[in-house]
Amino acid sequence: MILFLAYCAVIFSLLSGFLALLMRQRNTFSALFIYGLEKIPKLPQSYLQIINTCLSEKYYPLYLQRLVFFLLGISGVFAVLAGLSILINQGVETDQLSLGLPWLPWHVRFDSLSGLFYLIIGIAVIATSLYGPGYVKGYDEQHHPFAVLGLFTGIFIAGMLMVLLADDAFFFMIAWELMSVSSYFLVAFQHEQSANRRAAFLYLIMAQVGAMFIILGFGVLTSYADGYSFTFDALRHAELSTSWATIAFVLSLIGFGMKAGLVPVHVWLPEAHPVAPSHISALMSGVMLKVALYGMIRFCFDLLGDVQTQWGVVLIIIGAISALGGIFYALMQTNLKRLLAYSSVENMGIIFMVLGLSIIFQAQGHPEIAALGFIAALFHAFNHSLFKSLLFLGAGVIQHQVHELNIGLMGGLIKRMPHTSKLMLVACMSISSLPLFNGFVSEWLAFQTALQVDVLEDGVLRSLIPVAAAALALTAALAAACFVKVYGIVFLGQARSRNSEKAQEIDDKGMLAGLSLLAGLCFLFGVFPAIIIQFLNQVASQILAQSSANTINIDWLWLTPVSAEHASYAAPLVLMGVLIAGAICYRYLRRDPAMALRKSDTWDCGYGGLTPRMQYDCISFSMPLRRIFSKVWQIEETIDKQQQGAHSQQVTDIQYQLSIQDYSWAKIYYPIEKMVNHLARLVGRIQTGNIRVYLAYSFATLIVLLWMVS
């Protein structure tokens, strides 16, 4: 029954995609549908009239789009039900599908780890299905056909779900490529813009390079498996030496790290996410990155099994660099979706850093603390899928209403878009790890894991882990500063452009419902984290063969990792304290008539009226950090002053330009580009255009092959 629910999620996702192909087949679909209805005896004529109206040229596209997203929502519901069922059941469901090669059917396995990520995907898909119909109404069907968007969205979601079901390397890679290639078409959806084509091409290249490394990692395991089998069960029993296990780990880290957006193989992410449709950006950042995390966990903890201390050290270092690099670059961005993309790099760095802690404690013989770190990493992955999906969907609403993504041209939207501003405030508080929201709990558990370093005997590790914890603390502080900038400049103050002045609240209830669902879950799991931690405990029990029951004391009120003497957290009590303090302040401030609520102009400091130019913008807000950490970025800053008058003392005009680039491009990718171009020119010399030369190449190749065979 549980596998049936999982299969239904895949099937309905594919159905939604193929149904979208009927967008331009209205006449054929209408004729067949009406012909079928007429065969139904005693069907009231009024029903036929209603159906004819729905199938008319005016309403057909609208209702078909809603039906496509409705099927996506059904897919999400089945994914949530399947995930919850397997987590509650604590079992493992297996199956074989006769869809692979004749000698290699597709092997299916659905366990607690798969169920958790099914739950992550299902929640995001449900929110997207509510949000999507209102968002796609703005697309021109001639230039941006819904058939393309709907088809590849359905295949993309189905590919992610199939990755979670795969129990052999062959099935896994087919599903992985289905996910990657379909998302390429979604990134390139608005292909008339050169930036979109460039981002899509970059994404496809890095996706395929990453897939090659994953295949090589599976190849190492397969070479040591009995009968060179591709099934995960055979790979689990492969006996690898320490060296070959480390090689397989490195290959998988590069492959899955590319898809997860770890530094320095992250460069596709800030290019692809901003140009994709907003609900696709939400799925890619909130969900697809987690599928890469799933692959890494499945490969490292499940298939390789015996983890090594040095693997954890590598993950901590790469995770810390990704976390700090991601948030540093996010702080400098002026494009809202590009900022959110770099923020995803930061959060994936945090997750991999905590996974590294878990590996170290596991390898050093402390399985209970390893389970604590494992749960903290998975909980942050779950939380990130919620608030990052909410942020990208909110960015889509802002883009839809303001027709702008440049943060420096917004402002004052809290007065014009009050509902969106409240929901985005929840998202910003969640990602800033403030108490009463879900981001705080997972990062707090991560810190509690790092603070258990005193149980280790290795002096190097005892020095490294506190440094990583300090990097995590700096990342959290910078993330809070980053999203203070986002919310303050976008929603507060005065409008900085005419588009911001004319903006109005979105009138589509479905779009707000999608945001409200995610915002409510951010608050729910921030106040009652035990709901999800109980499920994460089952995942740790299956994957690590170690329950955290002895490590985390969990009930509806208190969350106590290790012991109450070390630390504990009671979010419901914090909520009660906040409500009581708010009620007291409200009671005493409103009791005095002099304190009655009044509206007046903002204090202008005696300057005689505020203007938008007096406000901080996104560049000036981050200027102090840019000065302090100037070596982090490749900065080009120019100030051009035009002066006139006696001795050129009067400044008539000032032009300021700031360009901030990612060091990864200058240090890694541009040199690779030059090398590839140079090699291409060298290889191009063999293309002479002379048929005699080509025959000589063929003859020489034939001689070499005959020599090799003989």
Side-chain angles (χ1 to χ4, degrees):
M1 180 60 183
I2 296 177
L3 264 182
F4 173 76
L5 296 174
Y7 290 153
C8 285
V10 177
I11 292 170
F12 274 95
S13 178
L14 291 173
L15 281 177
S16 71
F18 291 115
L19 184 64
L21 293 176
L22 298 175
M23 177 60 77
R24 296 193 175 185
Q25 305 296 326
R26 183 183 68 85
N27 293 333
T28 303
F29 178 72
S30 300
L32 291 175
F33 194 69
I34 294 297
Y35 177 78
L37 289 177
E38 289 175 348
K39 298 298 181 181
I40 300 177
K42 299 182 180 180
L43 184 67
Q45 191 66 26
S46 58
Y47 286 9
L48 287 174
Q49 293 176 354
I50 294 173
I51 293 170
N52 275 319
T53 302
C54 294
L55 294 175
S56 65
E57 186 174 355
K58 179 180 179 181
Y59 293 106
Y60 176 79
L62 176 63
Y63 287 115
L64 184 64
Q65 288 175 359
R66 291 181 177 178
L67 182 57
V68 167
F69 281 104
F70 175 76
L71 291 179
L72 270 185
I74 296 296
S75 171
V77 170
F78 275 115
V80 169
L81 292 175
L84 289 176
S85 299
I86 198 69
L87 287 169
I88 294 172
N89 190 55
Q90 305 178 28
V92 176
E93 300 284 334
T94 59
D95 194 11
Q96 285 190 15
L97 302 176
S98 302
L99 297 174
L101 298 173
W103 62 91
L104 182 62
W106 286 357
H107 294 78
V108 173
R109 176 186 171 95
F110 195 54
D111 57 11
S112 295
L113 182 64
S114 304
L116 172 66
F117 285 89
Y118 243 72
L119 182 62
I120 290 173
I121 294 176
I123 293 173
V125 170
I126 292 172
T128 299
S129 69
L130 296 171
Y131 177 91
Y135 183 80
V136 301
K137 282 192 298 187
Y139 283 129
D140 181 5
E141 181 63 24
Q142 295 298 321
H143 297 93
H144 306 119
F146 178 74
V148 175
L149 180 63
L151 172 65
F152 289 110
T153 300
I155 296 175
F156 174 52
I157 294 171
M160 290 191 292
L161 294 172
M162 289 164 65
V163 168
L164 305 181
L165 293 175
D167 196 35
D168 63 70
F170 180 68
F171 182 22
F172 185 95
M173 291 311 304
I174 288 178
W176 186 269
E177 285 299 284
L178 199 64
M179 173 186 71
S180 299
V181 175
S182 58
S183 54
Y184 158 77
F185 287 102
L186 295 172
V187 173
F189 180 61
Q190 295 172 302
H191 55 82
E192 70 277 3
Q193 302 177 22
S194 59
N196 296 36
R197 296 194 300 270
R198 176 182 179 274
F201 184 65
L202 174 65
Y203 168 63
L204 184 63
I205 288 177
M206 299 201 70
Q208 297 310 305
V209 172
M212 288 172 55
F213 279 99
I214 296 171
I215 291 172
L216 290 174
F218 280 129
V220 171
L221 284 176
T222 303
S223 63
Y224 284 89
D226 292 337
Y228 300 104
S229 175
F230 291 105
T231 64
F232 284 177
D233 190 53
L235 300 185
R236 289 184 186 96
H237 295 90
E239 296 181 0
L240 279 72
S241 64
T242 302
S243 300
W244 279 110
T246 301
I247 291 173
F249 167 78
V250 171
L251 291 171
S252 67
L253 177 60
I254 296 173
F256 293 116
M258 278 191 177
K259 186 68 75 176
L262 298 181
V263 174
V265 290
H266 68 291
V267 291
W268 67 269
L269 200 148
E271 301 294 330
H273 286 201
V275 302
S278 292
H279 64 294
I280 301 302
S281 299
L283 290 174
M284 292 181 70
S285 186
V287 177
M288 188 183 73
L289 302 186
K290 309 307 175 301
V291 176
L293 172 66
Y294 164 84
M296 188 66 199
I297 292 174
R298 178 68 73 188
F299 195 96
C300 183
F301 286 91
D302 190 16
L303 301 185
L304 288 177
D306 295 330
V307 296
Q308 317 261 335
T309 300
Q310 59 267 29
W311 302 355
V313 173
V314 169
L315 286 185
I316 285 179
I317 294 173
I318 293 177
I321 294 172
S322 299
L324 286 171
I327 197 59
F328 273 129
Y329 280 104
L331 275 164
M332 298 299 114
Q333 302 306 311
T334 58
N335 183 289
L336 179 56
K337 289 176 71 174
R338 192 176 180 87
L339 181 150
L340 297 178
Y342 271 115
S343 172
S344 293
V345 175
E346 170 235 340
N347 280 278
M348 294 307 295
I350 292 173
I351 294 168
F352 275 79
M353 192 192 311
V354 183
L355 271 184
L357 290 175
S358 178
I359 288 177
I360 287 176
F361 284 112
Q362 181 84 352
Q364 293 291 313
H366 301 283
E368 293 182 353
I369 303 176
L372 174 61
F374 189 75
I375 288 174
L378 291 180
F379 194 21
H380 196 69
F382 179 83
N383 292 335
H384 179 252
S385 70
L386 296 179
F387 55 66
K388 187 53 62 70
S389 298
L390 174 57
L391 283 165
F392 268 110
L393 295 182
V397 172
I398 294 171
Q399 184 181 15
H400 192 277
Q401 297 303 103
V402 184
H403 309 289
E404 184 63 63
L405 280 174
N406 189 333
I407 300 173
L409 297 178
M410 299 183 192
L413 296 183
I414 193 171
K415 300 175 183 177
R416 298 168 181 84
M417 303 173 65
H419 297 300
T420 302
S421 67
K422 294 173 186 176
L423 298 171
M424 287 293 283
L425 179 60
V426 172
C428 291
M429 295 175 73
S430 298
I431 199 171
S432 299
S433 302
L434 296 182
L436 294 183
F437 295 94
N438 57 350
F440 172 80
V441 184
S442 53
E443 289 204 19
W444 181 74
L445 288 175
F447 280 114
Q448 295 305 315
T449 305
L451 291 175
Q452 308 308 313
V453 66
D454 57 336
V455 304
L456 299 176
E457 298 179 357
D458 191 309
V460 175
L461 296 177
R462 290 167 65 93
S463 302
L464 173 66
I465 293 178
V467 173
L472 180 59
L474 177 60
T475 300
L478 293 173
C482 179
F483 284 92
V484 166
K485 179 187 89 166
V486 170
Y487 195 83
I489 294 176
V490 172
F491 291 100
L492 306 182
Q494 296 185 4
R496 295 174 176 83
S497 65
R498 295 188 64 183
N499 285 340
S500 294
E501 289 178 351
K502 297 179 180 179
Q504 295 180 349
E505 185 61 85
I506 191 76
D507 57 359
D508 189 276
K509 302 302 181 183
M511 296 178 75
L512 289 177
L515 272 67
S516 301
L517 171 64
L518 296 172
L521 292 176
C522 287
F523 182 73
L524 174 66
F525 294 123
V527 177
F528 300 105
I531 297 174
I532 191 68
I533 291 178
Q534 294 282 7
F535 293 142
L536 298 178
N537 189 35
Q538 308 306 325
V539 181
S541 299
Q542 264 193 6
I543 301 301
L544 302 182
Q546 172 63 45
S547 171
S548 67
N550 298 325
T551 306
I552 306 179
N553 182 19
I554 307 170
D555 57 42
W556 72 273
L557 181 60
W558 289 98
L559 182 63
T560 308
V562 186
S563 67
E565 289 76 15
H566 286 81
S568 59
Y569 175 61
L573 294 182
V574 175
L575 176 61
M576 290 175 60
V578 170
L579 293 177
I580 292 172
I584 292 174
C585 292
Y586 180 83
R587 172 77 174 82
Y588 282 93
L589 290 177
R590 292 298 296 270
R591 184 178 63 177
D592 188 351
M595 293 291 185
L597 184 66
R598 63 189 180 90
K599 292 183 179 181
S600 62
D601 294 334
T602 306
W603 183 45
D604 57 16
C605 307
Y607 282 98
L610 296 174
T611 67
R613 295 188 64 187
M614 297 178 181
Q615 305 175 120
Y616 275 103
D617 64 8
C618 53
I619 295 177
S620 58
F621 186 95
S622 55
M623 185 271 291
L625 290 171
R626 191 172 70 247
R627 294 284 186 260
I628 295 170
F629 301 102
S630 59
K631 300 300 181 182
V632 174
W633 307 277
Q634 190 174 5
I635 300 175
E636 295 180 8
E637 190 174 16
T638 58
I639 302 176
D640 183 17
K641 295 183 180 180
Q642 296 183 10
Q643 300 172 317
Q644 65 181 18
H647 305 289
S648 300
Q649 293 297 315
Q650 183 180 0
V651 178
T652 59
D653 189 28
I654 299 178
Q655 292 185 350
Y656 176 78
Q657 289 185 341
L658 176 66
S659 174
I660 298 176
Q661 292 188 355
D662 194 327
Y663 267 119
S664 299
W665 284 105
K667 300 298 183 182
I668 300 175
Y669 295 99
Y670 287 148
I672 291 176
E673 179 187 7
K674 291 180 180 179
M675 181 185 67
V676 170
N677 288 334
H678 178 68
L679 291 175
R681 284 191 294 270
L682 292 178
V683 173
R685 293 179 181 178
I686 69 175
Q687 188 176 355
T688 63
N690 190 324
I691 188 64
R692 294 184 180 88
V693 175
Y694 297 154
L695 290 173
Y697 292 157
S698 301
F699 179 74
T701 303
L702 181 61
I703 295 298
V704 171
L705 291 175
L706 289 173
W707 174 76
M708 292 176 62
V709 171
S710 62

